[in-house]
Amino acid sequence: MAQNEDRPVVAGLLALAGVGVVVGVVIGLVALFGIRLLGIGGDEDGGTAGSQQSMYIPKPVRTTDDSGPQITLAPGDEETSEGSASASPSESEKAEKGITLQSVQSSVAAMEQIDLTGVYPDGEGAILQVERFVDGGWTDFPVTASVSDGTFSTYVQTGQSGENRFRVRDTSNGELSNEVKVRVG
């Protein structure tokens, strides 16, 4: 007994270390049990890629070539009995290379958004200036659109009531689109 009484600091440190080990083991076991109970942590199989497939990818198969035309006809366009479009080749070639403009809306309220979209197959990167027909002539409207992947999209807003006519012009070569009409008001 004399030995413990001579060194009370050492005895206190040993007791403190023993309590720390016991508390650490208890906390570790509680944490381990909690992780397993909640399902958090690694997989039992070591985490191999084949153990948890989350996506099914079907095997590729060859498709058959479609021999028909790969265009969609606008309402009112009809095919001839030979299976070709009724337009002459020069007209259809011109339409494929030119600017085609469409308006999503045909009638809007004043200052309501008018969505203009279109295709310009040969105009990759072109800047298109929107124009409006005013007092017998075409004037620039303060809106432009850029062509990306052969298509473009923008919108305009106007308070000018009545029928408004819009078109777009390629700023680099002056090529013009068809016009679209939108009733405002």
Side-chain angles (χ1 to χ4, degrees):
M1 280 259 199
Q3 204 174 26
N4 281 343
E5 291 176 12
D6 292 341
R7 298 185 184 164
V9 174
V10 174
L13 287 176
L14 287 174
L16 187 61
V19 170
V21 168
V22 170
V23 169
V25 168
V26 169
I27 290 175
L29 290 173
V30 168
L32 181 63
F33 178 73
I35 287 173
R36 294 211 181 220
L37 182 67
L38 295 175
I40 302 172
D43 295 331
E44 296 293 325
D45 61 1
T48 60
S51 65
Q52 287 200 348
Q53 295 178 350
S54 61
M55 182 170 58
Y56 170 74
I57 301 175
K59 292 183 180 180
V61 294
R62 287 211 178 269
T63 57
T64 59
D65 291 335
D66 190 11
S67 62
Q70 297 182 357
I71 59 171
T72 303
L73 299 176
D77 288 348
E78 296 180 17
E79 288 190 19
T80 63
S81 61
E82 297 161 349
S84 63
S86 60
S88 69
S90 61
E91 291 175 12
S92 62
E93 286 175 9
K94 183 178 177 184
E96 288 177 9
K97 293 187 178 193
I99 306 171
T100 304
L101 178 66
Q102 296 177 328
S103 172
V104 176
Q105 299 85 0
S106 60
S107 177
V108 296
M111 297 308 290
E112 188 175 341
Q113 183 169 310
I114 302 168
D115 297 303
L116 300 175
T117 62
V119 293
Y120 190 12
D122 291 340
E124 186 64 31
I127 302 299
L128 304 177
Q129 174 66 53
V130 177
E131 297 180 333
R132 179 171 59 178
F133 192 79
V134 179
D135 296 329
W138 291 96
T139 60
D140 286 353
F141 200 81
V143 174
T144 59
S146 61
V147 179
S148 177
D149 292 330
T151 64
F152 61 92
S153 175
T154 189
Y155 70 93
V156 295
Q157 293 175 300
T158 182
Q160 182 176 341
S161 62
E163 183 177 82
N164 282 262
R165 296 162 50 187
F166 296 98
R167 72 180 185 186
V168 294
R169 174 181 44 85
D170 186 336
T171 58
S172 63
N173 64 16
E175 184 161 353
L176 299 170
S177 73
N178 57 301
E179 70 178 56
V180 295
K181 297 177 183 178
V182 179
R183 179 152 302 280
V184 176

